[in-house]
Amino acid sequence: MNSFSLPSGMPLEDVVVGASIYFPPIFKAVLIGLFIWLILHRLLRTWLYSGAIWHPTLMDLSVFILSVCAGMFLLTTGLFS
């Protein structure tokens, strides 16, 4: 049975190496951001769902995105490694 291997220098090799370099920090930022979001969501839940400031789902999503950005900031500053 022949094993399929790509010659070195092929684009697929770059994708695999790039995935191992760039994806784990993003996953770490999402994980840290999820914990930040859980705390913020619990604290701001009544204000978020009152609808006084914005649509509740969009506001919740915005808080999650800001939490992921804060997680990425914490990773890049070295507070979480």
Side-chain angles (χ1 to χ4, degrees):
M1 179 162 232
N2 292 338
S3 65
F4 180 73
S5 64
L6 295 172
S8 64
M10 295 296 289
L12 185 60
E13 182 180 311
D14 294 336
V15 170
V16 171
V17 171
S20 67
I21 293 173
Y22 293 116
F23 281 145
I26 297 297
F27 292 142
K28 288 180 188 176
V30 170
L31 186 64
I32 293 170
L34 179 66
F35 287 119
I36 294 170
W37 177 80
L38 285 172
I39 294 167
L40 286 177
H41 180 75
R42 183 79 171 165
L43 294 173
L44 301 174
R45 182 176 23 186
T46 56
W47 181 65
L48 288 175
Y49 293 131
S50 70
I53 189 117
W54 205 16
H55 192 278
T57 306
L58 294 175
M59 191 67 177
D60 208 18
L61 183 63
S62 298
V63 170
F64 179 72
I65 296 300
L66 289 172
S67 299
V68 171
C69 291
M72 192 64 171
F73 176 76
L74 291 173
L75 282 173
T76 56
T77 57
L79 295 175
F80 289 103
S81 298

